[in-house]
Amino acid sequence: MTRNPILTRTAALAGALLLAGCTAGSSGTSASKGDKVTLTFLTFETPNLDAKYWDAAIARASAKVPGVTIKKLVSPSADRTGYAKQLDSTGQFPDVMIGLNPAGFAEAGKLAPWTDKELAPYKNPRANTYDRKVYQLPYSAQTTLVYYNKKDFAAAGIDTPPRTYHELLDDSAKLKKKGINPFVVGGGGKDSWADMFPLISTVATDVYKKTPDWLSQRAKGKVKFTDPAFVAAAQKVAELADKGYIDRAGLSRSYADTEQAFRDGKGAMYPMGSWFSASADTKKPDFDTGVFAWPTDQGASALPGVLGGGMTVSSNASDVPLAKKWAKAFMEDQKNLDAAVKADGLIIDIKGYSPPSTMGPVYKKTLAAYQQAQKDDGIVNSFSQETGDGSLPPGLADKAAAGVQKLIGGRMSAKEFGAYMDEQWDKAIR
């Protein structure tokens, strides 16, 4: 989740330092005294991953690495990548970061690569490479699914979730006819990234399913966002809004308020990242929550997924080996992994790990959907969330989210959105 507008530099820096209760080391390096090392750790907070969660995880990792003191920095929004750029521009690049998109930082030599030995515990150690090097621990997978209100579906006479896109449209029409808002979609204020999930889904079904390396081809100039395939994916999103299946008024809601709107029964379907599964199980609404993958035209499997999300370490940390040791201690601690799964519905990609048996039904359905898509060779890239070679240029995900606001809001056509994306791409790579 790295797709939000950023506060002004001064306000953002002040806000994060206030939240963290500390200051970053000068010139992006950690403070060291004798055998004691202080490392700055950049993280973020969401309704699922709150301050209490991070503090407990930090404490568990620090207990395994004597001599390290962690000073926590909290991004003022979920866009820790954008905030890391701001810190870097003022000489305060953090020593350790979680969930950072390495693009740009890796190429500039600002991150320490992980060795094959350090990556040995991970199932897919080379999932996200930059010029054959890995800069982020690939510890978890996340996917985009549609969570739905079974009570609303029953009220509209819908017995089973849609298997084709045509069925999705039919079901949306049935829901609307019953006075039920089909889709809950938000993305207001700093949470513009939250409007991306319908487009993430249609790009998966209409573009990446047929051309897995489409974004790499875009980098080589072989395809464009104005090409028919991408425009068709954007058109599907625009039509959902034009038909009234996506409530345009909801675009002003924050991420937290959008999640709550679904809980409150203000819409039947909620396209969102798999992290919602844990929240759905722990803060149960008054209806049963079902899960399905956004359907393709013909019903084939095309589930957008991203693998990574782990720690990156600054190449300028005062003690890079110790920083990497602490980062791995954080990522590979059993209690930390269990806590992340329970709080954020993560699909852990570390050898030998199994999620807690107490996980609820929505998480289990989410995990089953992901595993089934793996069996069907149906996992495709997740538009705007890509990492590694063949990902969007730095900053373009934010531009895409801003464009989707206009696309859903009826202020930009699908063709105009494609032209806008090509324009923003050209600006990003200059």
Side-chain angles (χ1 to χ4, degrees), residues 97 100 102-103 105-114 119 125 128-138 310-313 315:
M97 294 147 280
L100 179 85
F105 299 110
E107 293 86 343
K110 295 181 180 294
L111 303 177
W114 295 99
L119 292 167
N128 298 306
T129 59
Y130 294 84
D131 193 22
R132 294 172 291 183
K133 294 181 180 179
V134 176
Y135 295 93
Q136 182 185 64
L137 293 177
M311 294 285 197
T312 53
V313 172
S315 58

Side-chain angles (χ1 to χ4, degrees), residues 40-90:
T40 53
F41 170 47
L42 176 62
T43 185
F44 59 99
E45 293 177 0
T46 69
N48 291 0
L49 304 177
D50 57 14
K52 183 178 179 181
Y53 163 85
W54 290 113
D55 290 344
I58 289 169
R60 283 190 285 265
S62 297
K64 293 184 174 182
V65 187
V68 171
T69 297
I70 296 297
K71 287 191 173 182
K72 181 179 68 171
L73 299 176
V74 180
S75 173
S77 77
D79 184 14
R80 55 272 191 190
T81 300
Y83 187 59
K85 292 176 185 176
Q86 293 186 29
L87 292 172
D88 183 36
S89 70
T90 59

Side-chain angles (χ1 to χ4, degrees), residues 161-422:
R163 292 161 295 182
T164 67
Y165 189 72
H166 181 74
E167 290 180 1
L168 179 67
L169 293 178
D170 283 350
D171 291 346
S172 297
K174 291 175 183 178
L175 289 162
K176 188 171 176 60
K177 188 175 181 179
K178 283 289 185 179
I180 300 169
N181 174 39
F183 283 98
V184 176
V185 177
K190 65 183 182 180
D191 294 332
S192 62
W193 58 268
D195 69 16
M196 286 293 297
F197 293 93
L199 184 66
I200 287 171
S201 300
T202 59
V203 170
T205 59
D206 288 29
V207 182
Y208 288 167
K209 178 66 174 178
K210 300 170 185 175
T211 313
D213 66 340
W214 191 91
L215 213 56
S216 293
Q217 292 192 29
R218 179 62 186 85
K220 297 175 183 177
K222 294 182 178 181
V223 296
K224 288 191 173 184
F225 291 102
T226 47
D227 288 352
F230 190 87
V231 171
Q235 182 63 30
K236 283 185 174 180
V237 177
E239 287 179 349
L240 289 175
D242 289 342
K243 291 176 181 292
Y245 299 158
I246 293 177
D247 179 17
R248 286 170 168 155
L251 289 175
S252 63
R253 287 189 298 245
S254 69
Y255 164 58
D257 288 343
T258 303
E259 182 176 301
Q260 191 58 47
F262 177 67
R263 293 182 191 286
D264 292 341
K266 294 182 179 178
M269 293 180 281
Y270 181 41
M272 182 46 59
S274 49
W275 52 84
F276 175 68
S277 63
S279 179
D281 283 326
T282 56
K283 304 174 185 177
K284 297 179 182 178
D286 65 355
F287 54 83
D288 288 337
T289 302
V291 180
F292 68 90
W294 191 284
T296 60
D297 290 337
Q298 304 302 323
S301 178
L303 195 63
V306 59
L307 182 60
M311 294 285 197
T312 53
V313 172
S314 168
S315 58
N316 289 321
S318 62
D319 192 327
V320 171
L322 200 58
K324 294 174 82 174
K325 183 177 181 180
W326 185 86
K328 278 176 60 68
F330 185 105
M331 291 278 82
E332 297 164 20
D333 179 83
Q334 178 77 29
K335 290 184 178 179
N336 278 1
L337 293 173
D338 287 349
V341 172
K342 291 176 182 177
D344 217 30
L346 297 183
I347 301 169
I348 300 300
D349 208 54
I350 293 179
K351 296 174 184 176
Y353 179 81
S354 297
S357 60
T358 55
M359 293 302 294
V362 181
Y363 175 81
K364 290 178 179 178
K365 293 173 189 175
T366 296
L367 179 60
Y370 184 82
Q371 292 174 334
Q372 185 61 52
Q374 284 183 310
K375 291 179 183 178
D376 295 339
D377 195 26
I379 302 295
V380 299
N381 220 331
S382 186
F383 179 64
S384 78
Q385 299 176 331
E386 303 92 346
T387 58
D389 295 323
S391 57
L392 286 176
L396 197 55
D398 292 338
K399 300 297 183 182
V404 169
Q405 281 273 331
K406 295 181 179 179
L407 180 71
I408 294 176
R411 293 174 287 136
M412 181 181 283
S413 70
K415 289 184 178 179
E416 289 170 337
F417 178 70
Y420 162 83
M421 287 299 298
D422 280 327

